[in-house]
Amino acid sequence: FDKWATGGVAQATTAAAFSGRFNPGFSNKVDAAMLNAFAKVYGFEFFGTYEAANGRSKNESAVRHVSQYAAEGIYRFGSSENLFLGLRYNAVKADLTTTNKVDINRFCVAGGWFVSKNVLMKMEIVNQQYKNFLNTDYRYNGKFNGFVMEAIVGF
């Protein structure tokens, strides 16, 4: 996990708790900003976010940059707006300690049903790609194209 968290190389089969999550490995001299926007008109919702950070690990002298943006559009319908259809796009661009710039892109088409106020059933068709990772990195040419079904209980 330590190698992966600092932007190095790790195996996907190791017991890394966060191996599915991208982490630029900043631990020192971090500056970050985040902007969020939300709008709802009738059953249409839009959510957007932009995040940017500069930082480095304790063993680095140069500052690196990472940014992320996401846009999501949802249409809620049904007598209590308990059903929805939506689209989401998410992109990450980052400088790693290996000096290469990487990109992660994710596009989803989703549909869901709020069974109750706290229970959601959701289905997504996902296309996710990892680009420009070194061929020694387990994310090299990584991608996920498939179907995801989730049940969520929130409190």
Side-chain angles (χ1 to χ4, degrees), residues 3-82:
K3 286 183 184 178
W4 183 83
T6 58
V9 177
Q11 296 297 315
T13 57
T14 62
F18 301 103
S19 65
R21 190 183 305 180
F22 181 76
N23 181 346
F26 296 160
S27 61
N28 193 9
K29 197 168 170 85
V30 178
D31 296 312
M34 180 180 202
L35 298 169
N36 291 313
F38 176 79
K40 182 173 181 177
V41 178
Y42 302 103
F44 291 98
E45 294 181 1
F46 171 79
F47 175 75
T49 187
Y50 176 76
E51 299 175 281
N54 294 311
R56 64 182 188 205
S57 71
K58 64 181 180 180
N59 300 324
E60 293 177 275
S61 58
V63 173
R64 295 180 288 116
H65 179 76
V66 63
S67 64
Q68 172 178 242
Y69 69 89
E72 180 175 56
I74 290 177
Y75 177 66
R76 294 184 183 268
F77 57 97
S79 60
S80 59
E81 293 189 341
N82 62 329

